[in-house]
Amino acid sequence: MAKAATAAKSRANMTDLAHLEHETLAAIAASADEAALELVRVNALGKKGTISALLATLGKMSPDERKTAGAAINALKDTVSAALAARRGLLKEAALEARLKSETLDVTLPVRETGIETGRLHPISQVMDELTAIFADLGFSIAEGPDIEADFYNFTALNFPDGHPAREMHDTFFFNPDEHGERKLLRTHTSTAQVRTMMSVKPPIRVICPGRVYRSDWDQTHLPMFHQVEGLVIDRSAHMGQLKWILEEFCKAFFEIPNVKMRMRPSFFPFTEPSMEVDIQCSRQGREIRFGEGHDWMEILGCGMVHPNVLRNCGLDPEEYQGFAWGMGIERIAMLKYGMDDLRPFVGGDLRWLQHYGFRPLDFPTLAGGLSA
Ligand code: DAH
């Protein structure tokens, strides 16, 4: 009877074990990730786990019982451990696979540009940077002056006498007279910077002054606000040969051509004597203009030897100092270099135009690295 009871009990135990095994293996198979699997492991094999509890009952069994039950429980433990290890391996692999998938880079996709790459520098800013690079290399520094000027700096000091017709040619924007009766104006040319420099710097002087100028004129080839760059050299022996060389070097560097032919035509400016206009050689085919070749000429700037009256007006003795100067329109040279045929888009604010004609802000022009590359 006692034997039969033990056998029955052990059979029941065996069914329990089979049931536990079935349940645990099912839980292992159902674990979706390593954390869930760890929970199943703790529930079965942890200190308070189901299988650990069964193992703890072995001590109270008779040696016979222990023999069969011990083998069965240990077999269950081995089966569960093996299933856990297998499932852990699978889950690890799947997790790695998923991670690799999520971290895949398609190196053939185009780069997504940031603002600093998509933004464009206006051609005027670009050309000013180019001019600065070229003239800095020739030993020039940058001079600046205000946009709102006194008549003295714009006209009188530059040898435009009162009532001189050249004043009228400048289409000047005047302000209303102030309480002293003085009429300020918007500078009509960057030659004002010559005066300010000569009055404040002891020669030798070598400066360029790029900046805004204003004239009351507006059509396809004129804007009421545009840009010029002025050049000025003053010392004891500055002469026209140097002027010509500097302008040639400038044209070669700016238009990025190995040779340039220039010609100087006599002209008139109140502040220079003699005065000249400079043309450079070019070829024209339809609207296309190329420099450094051809049989045509294109006017690009005005220049001359600084008039003795101007030196005197600026406090320099014309017996001791002499110099030369030149001035040119920045829009004009930008249009010539970059093939633009209308001036108005420069102030049109059309982003499509800027995308097309603008420059990458990080490609700063240098003589060594290329001006417009
Ligand atoms: N200021 C002149 C203009 O606006 C340009 C110019 C011509 C400047 C001759 C000069 C120069 O310095 O020497 O038309």
Side-chain angles (χ1 to χ4, degrees):
M1 168 68 199
K3 257 209 168 140
T6 316
K9 190 171 159 198
S10 123
R11 245 196 324 279
N13 274 348
M14 296 310 260
T15 343
D16 285 352
L17 283 189
H19 186 68
L20 182 58
E21 176 176 329
H22 179 76
E23 278 205 331
T24 312
L25 292 182
I28 290 172
S31 324
D33 54 34
E34 288 187 77
L37 187 65
E38 176 61 8
L39 215 65
V40 177
R41 187 193 67 78
V42 171
N43 284 339
L45 301 177
K47 261 193 200 150
K48 294 179 181 158
T50 46
I51 297 176
S52 309
L54 285 176
L55 284 168
T57 63
L58 289 178
K60 290 180 190 143
M61 292 184 186
S62 65
D64 265 1
E65 274 177 336
R66 193 180 303 137
K67 215 172 181 182
T68 41
I73 296 171
N74 274 310
L76 170 62
K77 185 182 168 189
D78 289 347
T79 311
V80 167
S81 297
L84 280 169
R87 183 72 187 155
R88 188 171 301 122
L90 271 181
L91 288 175
K92 265 207 164 82
E93 222 166 87
L96 180 64
E97 196 91 338
R99 194 169 145 205
L100 285 178
K101 217 174 243 164
S102 75
E103 290 179 0
T104 321
L105 270 186
D106 182 351
V107 292
T108 64
L109 282 177
V111 176
R112 201 174 294 140
E113 293 189 316
T114 63
I116 193 102
E117 285 131 357
T118 51
R120 287 291 176 269
L121 279 189
H122 196 283
I124 293 295
S125 307
Q126 168 74 16
V127 168
M128 283 197 185
D129 288 344
E130 293 181 17
L131 292 168
T132 306
I134 295 169
F135 284 108
D137 189 61
L138 292 172
F140 284 72
S141 47
I142 307 273
E144 282 180 321
D147 290 14
I148 299 176
E149 268 294 12
D151 185 284
F152 174 78
Y153 295 99
N154 200 81
F155 290 128
T156 311
L158 287 165
N159 201 33
F160 290 78
D162 266 345
H164 191 284
R167 287 189 180 227
E168 309 310 317
M169 281 161 47
H170 276 219
D171 299 310
T172 314
F173 286 113
F174 285 102
F175 287 82
N176 291 331
D178 63 15
E179 63 272 27
H180 311 292
E182 189 194 341
R183 262 196 329 174
K184 286 266 169 52
L185 49 82
L186 288 173
R187 68 177 175 190
T188 60
H189 52 178
T190 44
S191 304
T192 52
Q194 288 192 26
V195 181
R196 289 183 171 273
T197 307
M198 282 189 271
M199 291 179 76
S200 59
V201 179
K202 203 174 151 7
I205 292 171
R206 250 188 263 176
V207 291
I208 59 163
C209 170
R212 286 197 177 119
V213 298
Y214 305 82
R215 293 184 196 179
S216 178
D217 204 356
W218 167 254
D219 61 29
Q220 188 168 352
T221 54
H222 296 89
L223 291 176
M225 186 282 293
F226 58 105
H227 299 78
Q228 287 187 335
V229 59
E230 191 81 8
L232 176 70
V233 172
I234 304 279
D235 64 26
R236 292 198 159 85
S237 61
H239 58 77
M240 289 221 337
Q242 295 166 344
L243 169 62
K244 184 158 187 276
W245 182 84
I246 286 173
L247 295 177
E248 269 172 9
E249 287 305 299
F250 162 72
C251 287
K252 281 193 283 187
F254 180 73
F255 291 110
E256 300 176 61
I257 48 178
N259 286 302
V260 66
K261 248 197 221 151
M262 273 179 23
R263 72 176 186 192
M264 290 176 152
R265 283 178 292 104
S267 183
F268 172 79
F269 303 103
F271 37 89
T272 43
E273 182 57 39
S275 303
M276 286 139 303
E277 271 168 337
V278 173
D279 301 336
I280 58 173
Q281 171 203 33
C282 67
S283 73
R284 289 177 218 239
Q285 271 166 347
R287 286 174 147 189
E288 193 185 355
I289 298 172
R290 285 171 188 270
F291 294 104
E293 57 181 65
H295 302 288
D296 255 321
W297 297 96
M298 168 70 68
E299 184 203 321
I300 58 157
L301 57 88
C303 63
M305 297 301 295
V306 177
H307 197 293
N309 285 349
V310 175
L311 293 169
R312 251 189 302 272
N313 291 341
C314 299
L316 296 178
D317 178 1
E319 299 300 324
E320 188 179 358
Y321 291 113
Q322 57 192 34
F324 50 85
W326 69 93
M328 61 190 142
I330 294 183
E331 278 83 353
R332 180 171 170 78
I333 60 171
M335 286 168 77
L336 290 175
K337 177 167 180 178
Y338 293 112
M340 306 154 175
D341 57 8
D342 191 348
L343 189 57
R344 287 167 295 191
F346 276 82
V347 289
D350 186 336
L351 277 180
R352 292 164 305 177
W353 183 85
L354 196 57
Q355 282 294 329
H356 182 76
Y357 285 112
F359 291 82
R360 293 176 165 274
L362 297 179
D363 293 346
F364 198 80
T366 62
L367 288 184
L371 285 182
S372 60

